[in-house]
Amino acid sequence: MRSIAVTVDDVVTALEAVERSGRPVVLRITPPFYGRMRARLHVAGGEGGYDGDVDPIHLDPRRLVDDDAPRYPEVDETEDRLEAEEGYSTEEHRARHVEAVERWRAAVRSHVVGSIVVDAPGGPHEIEVKRLG
């Protein structure tokens, strides 16, 4: 496998699901493997068993963004910033947190990595990450 193609929206969605809820959301590459493969959004463990000789590859979405990617905004952080201002309300808190999450989604899109290393039968193997969308 030389490269994987992944939609940036899938990376952001998977990353948000992992960060918000701890759900086992991954980007899945399903065999048989070829030179260029597609990694798709998937909930790990939701498929039951796999009948093939080779298991699919599950990529943690955190591996698909660089170390400089912004952290997911926590609700409490939004509240702390808002409480420092006058006029705190739960409605304003919700609105500000929605805005913070939207800014995070937009910002994290530019942090998708250009390559990753995966474990392969012959040892670690570097593959290129092709961004779609």
Side-chain angles (χ1 to χ4, degrees), residues 67-80:
D67 292 339
D68 295 328
R71 287 186 318 106
Y72 185 80
E74 297 293 329
V75 173
D76 292 342
E77 293 170 349
T78 305
E79 182 178 28
D80 291 346

Side-chain angles (χ1 to χ4, degrees), residues 55-124:
D55 288 338
I57 297 171
H58 287 180
L59 299 174
D60 183 320
R62 293 171 287 206
R63 292 185 58 206
L64 294 170
V65 294
D66 62 35
D67 292 339
D68 295 328
R71 287 186 318 106
Y72 185 80
E74 297 293 329
V75 173
D76 292 342
E77 293 170 349
T78 305
E79 182 178 28
D80 291 346
R81 283 191 296 275
L82 189 57
E83 284 180 341
E85 302 173 15
E86 275 189 48
Y88 173 82
S89 70
T90 55
E91 294 82 18
E92 184 65 18
H93 181 200
R94 283 189 198 106
R96 292 275 185 98
H97 188 66
V98 166
E99 291 171 7
V101 170
E102 288 301 321
R103 283 192 306 275
W104 174 83
R105 287 178 184 146
V108 80
R109 295 175 67 82
S110 64
H111 290 272
V112 175
V113 297
S115 67
I116 59 169
V117 175
V118 297
D119 291 328

Side-chain angles (χ1 to χ4, degrees), residues 24 26 28 42-51 56 58:
V26 297
R28 178 181 171 157
H42 181 76
V43 176
E47 71 277 3
Y50 186 74
D51 294 333
H58 287 180

